Amino acid sequence: MKMIRILSCLWLCSIFSITGAQATERADTAWQNVLKQQALLIDVRTEGEFSQGHIEQAYNIPHTAIAEQIASVTKDKNQPIVVYCRSGNRSGYALQVLQAMGYQQVVNGGGLDEMLTSQPK
């Protein structure tokens, strides 16, 4: 029984470390797009979440309104865009919506904390 617990803990630790490595990579890629391609930053969390803290220069368009409101920020389907939220789930949804609308250069930056941790100094 004790061995099963140990193996379970090791398995969970390996899953979290893999997820963390991927998360850092996606945030690093997002920052490269912001810095090198002048990508727009779009925070797809709610207005309330946005008001509690966000990345400077980010626009707030909740993921539920991304299709209706993206044109207020850009109509250029080749404009690089980075979307982020709290964990990366809502930004993943926003990415799919924008791609379905024809936006060609959309990157999921993941979560706010992830983006802030990876932000170049």
Side-chain angles (χ1 to χ4, degrees):
M1 190 66 157
K2 188 175 182 179
M3 182 58 98
I4 292 173
R5 280 188 182 166
I6 291 170
L7 290 174
S8 294
C9 287
L10 289 173
W11 179 76
L12 284 173
C13 289
S14 68
I15 293 298
F16 287 126
S17 68
I18 289 170
T19 303
Q22 291 172 340
T24 301
E25 186 177 323
R26 72 181 174 185
D28 289 343
T29 299
W31 281 114
Q32 288 173 9
N33 281 291
V34 170
L35 297 173
K36 294 180 180 176
Q37 298 180 8
Q38 299 168 338
L40 297 175
L41 277 166
I42 301 179
D43 185 323
V44 298
R45 298 175 302 150
T46 65
E47 289 180 32
E49 289 172 301
F50 185 80
S51 69
Q52 292 176 3
H54 58 273
I55 297 172
E56 192 175 329
Q57 307 297 321
Y59 295 92
N60 181 219
I61 304 176
H63 75 287
T64 55
I66 195 77
E68 296 82 19
Q69 296 181 17
I70 188 62
S72 68
V73 177
T74 184
K75 294 177 185 172
D76 180 359
K77 304 274 174 132
N78 291 312
Q79 168 67 50
I81 297 171
V82 170
V83 290
Y84 72 91
C85 60
R86 183 183 55 79
S87 67
N89 290 331
R90 289 177 281 180
S91 52
Y93 169 83
L95 175 134
Q96 290 178 345
V97 169
L98 292 172
Q99 286 177 333
M101 293 176 67
Y103 287 86
Q104 302 294 314
Q105 298 185 62
V106 185
V107 172
N108 181 355
L112 174 61
D113 290 341
E114 191 176 336
M115 289 286 294
L116 291 173
T117 299
S118 293
Q119 186 172 14
K121 307 292 180 213

